[in-house]
Amino acid sequence: MRIHVRLLSTVVATGALLVGCGSSSGESLEDWYSSGGEKSIKALSEASSRVNEVSVRPMDTWGAACKELLTEVAEAEELDAIPSENAEGFWKEALTLFEDGGNECVAGAEADDQPRASAGIREVQKGIGRLSSTTSMIAGDLKAE
């Protein structure tokens, strides 16, 4: 249940961010968001949600979902730093947790090592919370400016 609540929080925070993006102030943050940040946040949210969803299915489905997440992490790492000190810290933590967890998940799934793959998924689940915090910080910064 906790995971589903976190996932819902991520979706709600992302939705709040989409609505709050119409403000004319905070243009550099808005520029980051409109020039790839929004797309990356959505892709990471969807891919990490899939990892979370498959975690209750047979292990043979885990590796593909984790590989998809790793692809989205690599794309997100190409973006410039978020021009929000508050959000940037959570963003980096989310990317690190997604990458480390995704790699462990893939390695565990390929080796048929369920404890290792499960540990990776738990890291991804922590990353979901950090991504939610990122979107909340961005929304707050946009609203405040």
Side-chain angles (χ1 to χ4, degrees), residues 9-142:
S9 296
T10 301
V11 171
V12 169
T14 302
L17 183 57
L18 294 173
V19 171
C21 204
S23 171
S24 62
S25 57
E27 289 185 76
S28 63
L29 182 55
E30 286 182 29
D31 289 344
W32 179 88
Y33 187 73
S34 65
S35 66
E38 174 186 22
K39 179 183 175 234
S40 190
I41 287 170
K42 286 174 122 179
L44 286 167
S45 180
E46 290 170 5
S48 61
S49 293
R50 267 189 287 289
V51 170
N52 190 48
E53 289 170 18
V54 301
S55 70
V56 296
R57 296 188 185 146
M59 194 171 88
D60 63 347
T61 62
W62 298 2
C66 291
K67 285 179 184 178
E68 178 187 342
L69 177 60
L70 290 171
T71 298
E72 298 304 338
V73 168
E75 289 183 25
E77 289 175 336
E78 303 263 329
L79 294 173
D80 291 334
I82 300 175
S84 163
E85 204 173 297
N86 295 327
E88 180 65 14
F90 285 112
W91 177 250
K92 286 183 177 184
E93 284 182 49
L95 293 179
T96 298
L97 287 164
F98 287 154
E99 183 173 23
D100 292 349
N103 283 325
E104 281 300 298
C105 170
V106 169
E110 288 176 353
D112 200 27
D113 181 348
Q114 187 168 0
R116 183 176 183 184
S118 292
I121 288 174
R122 284 191 300 277
E123 288 297 299
V124 169
Q125 291 166 337
K126 289 179 194 175
I128 292 170
R130 299 312 188 284
L131 184 62
S132 178
S133 295
T134 301
T135 58
S136 295
M137 291 292 141
I138 291 172
D141 286 351
L142 287 173

